[in-house]
Amino acid sequence: MDAVSMEAPFSGVVLVSRGDETLLAEASGYAHVAHRIENTVDTRFAIASGTKGFTALVVVGLVAEGRLKLETTAREVLGADLPLIDAAVTVEHLLTHTSGIGDYCDEEAEPPPNPLLATSADYLAALDGFPQRTPPGREFRYNNSAFVVLAVIAERIAGVPFADLVRTRVTEPAGMTDTAFLRSDALPARTATGYLEDGRTNVFSLPVVGHGDGGSYSSAPDFRKFWPALLDGRLVPREWVTRMLRPHADGYGLGFWLPRPGVVRLEGGDHGVTFRSTHEPASGLTATLISNDHRGGGPLLRRLDEFLTKA
């Protein structure tokens, strides 16, 4: 890690463990540059699309309870909202990035940031007006809107705000005490601010509060807790864990990346945010990297992948 960081300075945390054994726990850089507050191993960071795994677990939990089906269409729950979503789009299409719906945050098009998003109503308004791009089920196309729609569906089925669903169904059962949806303009102590290439903070580049597609905050130690909780069936029944971690489309399960056989991953990237947590169930090996600046730790991510491949 030291050698790689000399090539490309890194601000963030790397935590590698095998079961209860810590193999590497290192923090570098600043959580807040102006106040010279250094990152520590338990600093909280934004995890961007890492949140999608939480969304998938909330939705699949409702499916496991019989309150929703993978075959349920979005239209059945949305009613007249978001009329441009094809009537055939199902919950499973949304979970597997095969819905073909228009994306309010199309990463290929690099739309201007819209930070004035804080409530479900804000997000619903932001999703409106984007036409269907491809027929449902035709192709895998990474889609942020799909996971906001999933969060809206979960809220309406459960009658509970989405952030509360994540807390009660995912983070609390997993013991993830550092994980929550925080306001980007009012970050509490022990939470890292993200930094852009020109040194500005990312506060005007991210939504005020995250939603189903991203924006929660967490720490590397919390993901050491997350993976065992998932695999032990504490978040959804084990038979559903198996289904979620089975490839459905283009190396993707239901809300989780499956980069190679026997390995599962959550990852996310945004302005001043890089997150990746990779787990190998057979060995209990977990590697989590979180960064709060524009450089993102690319060389370290590659080195961690090499380590996981050889371990």
Side-chain angles (χ1 to χ4, degrees):
M1 180 175 174
D2 291 341
V4 175
S5 292
M6 288 181 67
E7 298 174 23
F10 173 69
S11 179
V13 170
V14 177
L15 179 61
V16 182
S17 60
R18 182 184 285 112
D20 294 330
E21 179 187 8
T22 299
L23 304 179
L24 174 68
E26 294 286 347
S28 60
Y30 290 98
H32 198 292
V33 171
H35 296 291
R36 314 304 280 180
I37 299 172
E38 295 183 345
N39 284 319
T40 63
V41 171
D42 64 351
T43 294
R44 291 174 289 193
F45 297 83
I47 65 169
S49 289
T51 307
K52 288 182 172 70
F54 301 161
T55 303
L57 285 165
V58 167
V59 171
V60 168
L62 292 171
V63 172
E65 293 169 5
R67 303 171 71 181
L68 194 62
K69 296 180 180 179
L70 292 180
E71 299 80 19
T72 300
T73 65
R75 183 62 52 221
E76 290 176 58
V77 183
L78 293 176
D81 290 331
L82 306 181
L84 297 182
I85 291 180
D86 192 295
V89 169
T90 66
V91 166
E92 185 168 11
H93 289 140
L94 296 168
L95 282 168
T96 57
H97 296 291
T98 59
S99 66
I101 69 173
D103 197 350
Y104 86 115
C105 187
D106 189 334
E107 296 176 0
E108 295 178 6
E110 295 188 2
N114 185 359
L116 301 179
L117 301 174
T119 68
S120 291
D122 296 336
Y123 279 91
L124 199 60
L127 296 181
D128 203 10
F130 293 90
Q132 189 82 19
R133 297 184 65 174
T134 57
R138 173 175 290 183
E139 65 181 60
F140 177 93
R141 184 188 292 269
Y142 191 80
N143 193 301
N144 288 286
S145 284
F147 276 73
V148 179
V149 173
L150 285 167
V152 172
I153 289 172
E155 278 193 342
R156 293 188 179 184
I157 293 296
V160 177
F162 179 66
D164 290 339
L165 289 173
V166 172
R167 176 176 54 80
T168 58
R169 290 173 172 266
V170 181
T171 61
E172 285 184 348
M176 301 172 74
T177 55
D178 281 336
T179 304
F181 286 95
L182 305 176
R183 288 187 63 99
S184 61
D185 61 349
L187 296 178
R190 203 165 49 78
T191 305
T193 296
Y195 291 91
L196 309 180
E197 190 170 2
D198 60 6
R200 291 181 299 121
T201 74
N202 62 2
V203 66
F204 294 122
S205 303
L206 301 178
V208 176
V209 181
H211 208 265
D213 60 333
S216 57
Y217 286 74
S218 189
S219 67
D222 263 12
F223 276 89
R224 185 174 182 170
K225 302 172 184 176
F226 172 77
W227 294 112
L230 171 66
L231 296 168
D232 289 348
R234 283 181 269 152
L235 310 183
V236 295
R238 289 190 179 184
E239 60 268 27
W240 278 101
V241 175
T242 300
R243 292 185 67 172
M244 295 183 78
L245 303 187
R246 185 175 68 214
H248 286 70
D250 203 23
Y252 200 80
L254 298 179
F256 291 83
W257 292 100
L258 306 168
R260 57 185 176 274
V263 174
V264 59
R265 173 180 292 163
L266 286 177
E267 64 182 331
D270 213 326
H271 306 279
V273 180
T274 298
F275 164 79
R276 179 182 290 178
S277 186
T278 304
H279 183 72
E280 186 180 64
S283 66
L285 194 66
T286 298
T288 300
L289 178 148
I290 319 184
S291 175
N292 66 319
D293 77 0
H294 66 95
R295 291 166 294 208
L300 277 173
L301 286 173
R302 290 192 294 273
R303 185 64 59 86
L304 281 173
D305 273 346
E306 292 172 5
F307 173 78
L308 287 167
T309 301
K310 297 173 182 177

